[in-house]
Structure formats: structure tokens, C-alpha cells
Amino acid sequence: MGDRPDDLRALLDSVTGQDGDRVEVVVVGNGTPVTGVPEGVRTVELPENLGIPGGRNAGIEAFGPAGSGVDALLFLDDDGRLPDPGTAELVRRAFADDPELGILSFRIADPDTGRTQRRHVPRLRASDPMRSSRVTTFLGGASAVRTRVISEVGPLPGEFFYAHEETDLAWRALDAGWMIDYRSDLVLFHPTTAPSRHAVYHRMVARNRVWLARRNLPAPLVPLYLGVWTVLTLVRRPPASALRAWLGGFREGWRSPCGPRRPMKWRTVWRLTRLGRPPVI
């Protein structure tokens, strides 16, 4: 968005300083000009803000159709930083060693405290962020995706704009036979934040949750999944304004087009269950 130039420069320095082969970098200006980037960094300037998945999709295409000019893509938030210059080599090795591995989710840690927020561990049993494991989703702003995944299952759902776009891609990847790993040794430094700082948070979380289910789940699981999340939302007792926004987004999710429906196979439902997160929560 162009409003964190110092953070962006620190991120780019941490990427260009990685060991091994040079990491090609593209910075996407999501409805804003891109200025002050180092020489050799490519830029894409979008005429309007397409949201998080739309911006990342534009970055993918900068490497060729479906990112075909490279083997894997790193997605990194512009206020993050890679503290370890060996991160890129770990990513290369992970994909080389495991042909079924399609997506890597990094551990996000606060640069001052080293703490990882529970919401940044993409599994239900999130109490130990130092434990690496197979998972069923990933962290969009701290991840690596094999480009074959994009070519096989398609890009992030641009219409989501913000929230749950990673899970949509993750479910499609898992349905195609790929696996996802959370790796605690792949670290992105990122300041501790609350997602509710975004004004659209509650509406889009609810709308996109409905879209996620409508697009990807077998019909019997759609009401079950959404019913569980409705109960969880009410149990958390959000403020009245947040609940109104959430209910408005929930209605919008049913009334508005969600994109193509491609329900996952029942064997994928079982795979998600065996990985510790059945698609009802």
C-alpha cells in the first residue's frame, strides 16, 4: 500500500541478502506507486487496490503465467523481515526433499519478544509454535508455494479481497494431492498486531467464510461448518458493532456470487481430518 517504506526496505534487504542463488523479487503496488526500491527489484503498479489475494496474484503473474518462470514463490508481508539468511536455502531444500510438498507456512515471531501469536500457528493444537507439522492451511504473508500448485489448482481467489483466501487455496491444493507443512525454523519477524485493526475485518471474515464453504465443501458439510463457526463467534461475545458487521457479512456471503463451486472429494475430507482439522471447524 506504500505506507511503510522503511519496513519495506528492511524486508527487501533481508531477501536480497539470502544465501545461495539470488532470489528474484517483485514488489506490487496495490493501487499505489512503488518508489524507493533497490536496483534489480521489479515492480508492478496496479491502478486500484485489488486486496491481498488480487495483489499477490499480480505478483505471481509477474513471473510468467501462473509463476511458470520460477519453481517456487515466497509471499512476504511488507512489514516483515527474514532474520535468517539461510531461509531461502531451507525452502529450496524442503521442496527438493519432498515431492508431495506444495506449500510451506513460516513461523511469525515478534522481532522484540520472539513471541508467536496463537493465531499464527495454522492448526487447532497451537500451544507449541516451535513444533513443526503437516497442516491444512497456511499464513499468506509468510509462506512459500510451489508454482506447480498454482498451475494445477489456480491462483488465490481474488474476489475474497481479504480473509480466508489462503484456506481456499490450501483446500484446493490438498484436494489435488499436495501437502502443506508448518515449519518453525522458517521465521518471519513481524510486529504483533490484531487482525481486527482492519475496518472490514468482521464483515469480510464472515462473508468469506460462507464463500469458502460454498466453493469447496461437499453439500452436507456446508451447514455444519458454518453452524460451528456461528456458534464460536457468538461464544466469543464480540462487541455489538462487530457482531452487526459479522451478521451483515454472513448474509452477504449467501446472497452474492462466490465464484466457481468445486467441492472437495470425500477422501480429502478424511485427509483433513487425519491431519487434525476436519472441515467443520
Side-chain angles (χ1 to χ4, degrees), residues 118-121 123-126 164 195-196 201-202 205-206 209 225-244 246 277 280-281:
R118 187 180 182 90
R119 69 185 182 89
H120 284 153
V121 182
R123 59 176 178 246
L124 292 179
R125 296 176 180 175
H164 303 319
S196 55
Y201 171 77
H202 295 287
V205 160
R209 183 81 69 185
Y225 175 82
L226 296 176
V228 168
W229 277 104
T230 299
V231 170
L232 287 173
T233 300
L234 295 174
V235 167
R236 291 169 179 170
R237 301 179 66 182
S241 60
L243 183 58
R244 284 194 297 271
W246 190 93
R277 189 154 196 166
V280 295
I281 188 170

Side-chain angles (χ1 to χ4, degrees), residues 55-139:
R56 288 181 183 146
N57 287 341
I60 292 170
E61 292 301 308
F63 292 103
S68 56
V70 293
D71 295 321
L73 296 154
L74 292 174
F75 297 108
L76 302 171
D77 278 356
D78 64 353
D79 54 348
R81 174 169 55 90
L82 297 174
D84 179 5
T87 300
E89 285 291 273
L90 288 174
V91 170
R92 294 185 183 105
R93 194 179 312 147
F95 284 134
D97 290 347
D98 186 351
E100 291 187 337
L101 180 63
I103 302 173
L104 284 165
S105 190
F106 293 17
R107 179 169 64 89
I108 295 178
D110 185 275
D112 297 322
T113 67
R115 177 176 174 268
T116 296
Q117 292 178 271
R118 187 180 182 90
R119 69 185 182 89
H120 284 153
V121 182
R123 59 176 178 246
L124 292 179
R125 296 176 180 175
S127 59
D128 182 8
M130 300 306 294
R131 179 173 67 88
S132 299
S133 68
R134 295 282 201 198
V135 289
T136 62
T137 188
F138 66 102
L139 307 170

Side-chain angles (χ1 to χ4, degrees), residues 184-237:
S184 63
D185 58 335
L186 299 174
V187 180
L188 180 78
F189 276 171
H190 187 284
T192 298
T193 57
S196 55
R197 71 191 186 277
H198 299 293
V200 298
Y201 171 77
H202 295 287
R203 179 177 69 85
M204 289 195 173
V205 160
R207 183 197 69 181
N208 293 359
R209 183 81 69 185
V210 177
W211 282 358
L212 180 68
R214 290 175 58 197
R215 287 163 59 98
N216 294 288
L217 291 181
L221 295 185
V222 173
L224 183 58
Y225 175 82
L226 296 176
V228 168
W229 277 104
T230 299
V231 170
L232 287 173
T233 300
L234 295 174
V235 167
R236 291 169 179 170
R237 301 179 66 182

Side-chain angles (χ1 to χ4, degrees), residues 18-90:
Q18 289 292 301
D19 298 337
D21 293 340
R22 181 174 179 269
V23 179
E24 299 293 330
V25 181
V26 169
V27 175
V28 178
N30 215 345
T32 188
V34 181
T35 59
V37 298
E39 185 177 351
V41 172
R42 286 182 284 169
T43 62
V44 175
E45 295 184 359
L46 301 176
E48 61 179 307
N49 181 3
L50 299 182
I52 293 172
R56 288 181 183 146
N57 287 341
I60 292 170
E61 292 301 308
F63 292 103
S68 56
V70 293
D71 295 321
L73 296 154
L74 292 174
F75 297 108
L76 302 171
D77 278 356
D78 64 353
D79 54 348
R81 174 169 55 90
L82 297 174
D84 179 5
T87 300
E89 285 291 273
L90 288 174

